[in-house]
Amino acid sequence: MAYVLLIEPDHHCGLSPFPWGTLAVGSHLASRNIPVALINASYLDLAAFEAELSGLLPQATLLGVSCFSTDAAWVLELLARVKKLRPELPVILGGPHPTLLPEQTIQHPLVDYLVRGPGEEACAGLALLLDEVGRPIVDAPERLAALPGLHWRDGRGEAHGNPPAGAPPEVPTDYSLLPEIKQRHLPKYMEILAGRGCSFACAFCYNAVCGHKWAGKSAQALAEEVESIVRRFDPQVIYFRDENFFHSRERVLAFIGEYRSRGFRFQWDATCRANYFTKGYINQELLRELESINCRRMKFGMESGSPRVLKLLHKGIRVEQILHVAQTLSGSSIIGNYSFLMGVPGETRGEYRATLGLIRTILDHDPRAEIIGPQYYRVYPGGELYDEVVAHWGFRQPESFEQWAEAVRGDFFGLDKAQDYRWIDGSPDLPRRADFLVLLARKPLSSLLHPLKFPALPFALLARLRLRLGFYAGMWDMRLAAWMFGKYVSAVYLPKSKAGLVG
């Protein structure tokens, strides 16, 4: 009988996020009565992960592993171990890395199959086909060719691939696939995927490369899923984890009606875009409607305070629109959450300062505003910006899955230490430390009076002064603050995260 084991890697990010890719595939399998289990290594310490793997691996008939490019080393080490224990077990990879580089990834001897794009149908079809045939099926191309997005090697080692699937099936998320310790936190905070993809073409995003256009659940289907979740978990807060929840005005208006008619009480957060704040869409009237149904937070990817950089990134928004959002939400109970990016190729030091100046202005308009970053740009595969880096900045792309793993081990992506990219204008300290500067400048001074946090107080005062005066020379204080923060996270935050205590 088919039994699919799905594994979400340890992303080494210090968080325990919802494993949306594997969770979506697992939910689809469960809806088709295909036995499935999910292990999220980001929730577990090494001993707990090995215990779960040892208990579930013997009964698996198919192993599915999600993979970002930054996971390549971890994934290959896992596959080497699995193949040593069960060399006959078929392995299928999914996620961003195999989607972006399928021809390269399928050549690795530890990878039997991969799926490009949404993996629900391919994974379910492959699991059933393996169960039916009862042996490797690489020499049955007509059967494999029916599975959307599937790539494989035939008996001669030649690679084959199918076009990716279109819009994924609308299947409610099966939260029982999450470990019990995570499920215990769901009454406090729940994430729901109300749609996938994005119809915009930001230069740093892989959605544009893969053609993942927005596809959302209908308001009725979403409300029915939410109602079942409310009956089971009664969450205090729901985060609609779409990349663009407000894409459809009609769906938003219908959802407002569903929320009221079903008597929901939870607070909720969602993603939005600055260009939706217009007289014909998100205006004062609609904001009052959203407030009345407990919308708590709206999240935006603003990215830059430079008009030129916004055009370079193909954001489709203007600085004036960003300011309009901040001014509009300042008179509302809804909190604005704004993320920014810094250090992209071609960005000048003056444009770094413009972004920090915009952040200062947003905070002047609305002191409650939440600022994410500015996050230091990292070179991930996918998107027009990545292609420019490879073509014009002497950036050598790894040529095999094994080389990607070696690159990760050598901190190719700057996860352990931010890279000093050749295109950075002037000293890299400003783009690399801008996030710490804003973080410290935003800290309430009263929160730093605790003995463990008191050493950060002088740095917070310096950060406030720098942001207010626009003075960013030196940055020695931010380097020291970043080092201290890293030590604090390693000592306090990561152990709790591995124990499943951090949501």
Side-chain angles (χ1 to χ4, degrees):
M1 183 178 182
Y3 187 93
V4 181
L5 175 59
L6 301 174
I7 296 181
E8 184 78 13
D10 182 354
H11 302 298
H12 300 288
C13 61
L15 302 172
S16 51
F18 277 68
W20 277 117
T22 47
L23 193 57
V25 171
S27 300
H28 180 75
L29 293 171
S31 74
R32 295 183 58 175
N33 297 315
I34 300 172
V36 58
L38 192 160
I39 304 176
N40 187 347
S42 291
Y43 293 162
L44 307 169
D45 60 27
L46 182 58
F49 173 75
E50 290 183 346
E52 287 208 27
L53 183 65
S54 298
L56 294 170
L57 191 61
Q59 55 191 311
T61 61
L62 177 64
L63 175 67
V65 183
S66 180
C67 184
F68 286 87
S69 298
T70 49
D71 299 324
W74 192 96
V75 167
L76 279 185
E77 289 167 11
L78 170 71
L79 297 188
R81 178 182 174 189
V82 167
K83 288 293 188 178
K84 185 176 180 180
L85 295 172
R86 291 201 53 194
E88 83 292 351
L89 179 64
V91 169
I92 180 170
L93 292 192
H97 188 84
T99 293
L100 290 166
L101 299 166
E103 293 84 3
Q104 190 186 89
T105 308
I106 196 60
Q107 294 299 332
H108 198 281
L110 296 178
V111 179
D112 301 304
Y113 307 93
L114 67 80
V115 60
R116 181 183 175 206
E120 289 92 332
E121 295 179 31
C123 197
L126 183 62
L128 294 174
L129 188 54
L130 287 165
D131 187 51
E132 174 191 338
V133 175
R135 58 180 175 79
I137 52 174
V138 293
D139 292 318
E142 70 285 351
R143 307 289 297 274
L144 296 175
L147 302 178
L150 191 73
H151 287 242
W152 71 97
R153 296 186 312 276
D154 63 24
R156 298 181 299 278
E158 296 180 5
H160 303 268
N162 302 328
E170 283 192 4
V171 175
T173 301
D174 186 350
Y175 294 93
S176 68
L177 293 170
L178 296 174
E180 289 185 10
I181 193 168
K182 191 67 178 179
Q183 291 184 51
R184 288 202 295 268
H185 292 271
L186 297 182
K188 294 182 179 179
Y189 175 81
M190 166 72 72
E191 292 188 15
I192 294 178
L193 201 61
R196 296 197 219 175
C198 180
S199 296
F200 292 85
C202 297
F204 54 83
C205 183
Y206 99 115
N207 273 323
V209 177
C210 300
H212 292 170
K213 300 296 185 182
W214 183 84
K217 296 175 181 177
S218 67
Q220 181 177 352
L222 176 59
E224 289 172 356
E225 182 174 353
V226 169
E227 190 164 40
S228 69
I229 287 169
V230 168
R231 284 198 302 266
R232 180 176 178 185
F233 297 105
D234 193 20
Q236 297 173 20
V237 177
I238 290 178
Y239 174 26
F240 293 107
R241 191 59 179 83
D242 310 35
E243 294 178 76
N244 191 359
F245 179 82
F246 282 85
H247 175 93
S248 168
R249 180 178 183 273
E250 290 71 24
R251 188 181 75 157
V252 169
L253 295 177
F255 177 73
I256 291 172
E258 294 282 359
Y259 186 103
R260 287 181 175 142
S261 65
R262 295 171 188 260
F264 294 148
R265 300 187 308 275
F266 60 83
Q267 294 181 303
W268 57 282
D269 305 341
T271 50
C272 191
R273 285 181 55 88
N275 56 306
Y276 293 165
F277 274 60
T278 64
K279 291 181 179 179
Y281 188 7
I282 302 180
N283 50 31
Q284 292 292 350
E285 181 182 356
L286 183 58
L287 279 179
R288 285 192 291 271
E289 291 285 294
L290 295 173
E291 287 178 307
S292 73
I293 63 165
N294 296 320
C295 179
R296 184 183 72 158
R297 177 179 286 103
M298 298 174 77
K299 299 189 175 187
F300 303 83
M302 300 306 197
E303 315 311 350
S304 179
S306 160
R308 191 187 70 87
V309 172
L310 289 174
K311 290 181 180 179
L312 177 71
L313 297 177
H314 305 321
K315 279 300 298 181
I317 61 175
R318 302 188 307 275
V319 173
E320 311 88 80
Q321 291 173 319
I322 296 174
L323 289 172
H324 174 63
V325 170
Q327 290 169 341
T328 303
L329 288 182
S330 68
S332 162
S333 64
I334 300 171
I335 296 171
N337 178 289
Y338 312 105
S339 67
F340 292 88
L341 186 65
M342 192 175 284
V344 301
E347 190 176 12
T348 68
R349 192 166 184 84
E351 288 166 330
Y352 302 156
R353 296 169 64 91
T355 295
L356 290 169
L358 176 60
I359 289 171
R360 182 179 63 240
T361 302
I362 288 173
L363 294 173
D364 286 342
H365 282 307
D366 188 0
R368 306 168 309 148
E370 298 171 345
I371 306 296
I372 307 299
Q375 300 172 86
Y376 189 55
Y377 172 69
R378 288 184 171 89
V379 183
Y380 297 121
E384 183 179 314
L385 208 55
Y386 175 77
D387 294 338
E388 179 186 335
V389 167
V390 172
H392 301 297
W393 290 97
F395 205 77
R396 182 175 174 272
Q397 175 175 289
E399 298 177 356
S400 68
F401 196 30
E402 186 67 51
Q403 286 187 15
W404 279 104
E406 289 299 322
V408 171
R409 295 185 187 103
D411 202 23
F412 176 83
F413 295 103
L415 299 180
D416 296 323
K417 181 182 179 182
Q419 302 291 323
D420 294 337
Y421 296 127
R422 292 169 53 194
W423 54 80
I424 296 298
D425 184 17
S427 169
D429 275 343
L430 178 54
R432 284 173 55 176
R433 308 301 181 196
D435 57 345
F436 285 101
L437 187 149
V438 173
L439 175 70
L440 287 171
R442 295 281 292 125
K443 280 287 183 185
L445 298 182
S446 60
S447 71
L448 301 177
L449 298 179
H450 186 280
L452 288 176
K453 298 180 180 180
F454 189 74
L457 181 59
F459 297 106
L461 291 170
L462 284 169
R464 288 187 175 198
L465 189 62
R466 283 186 179 276
L467 191 62
R468 175 54 53 192
L469 299 179
F471 178 71
Y472 307 116
M475 300 292 284
W476 61 268
D477 48 337
M478 295 301 107
R479 289 199 300 272
L480 183 55
W483 177 83
M484 292 174 60
F485 181 79
K487 292 294 184 182
Y488 178 81
V489 167
S490 297
V492 177
Y493 191 78
L494 289 180
K496 291 183 178 180
S497 175
K498 285 297 185 182
L501 300 177
V502 179

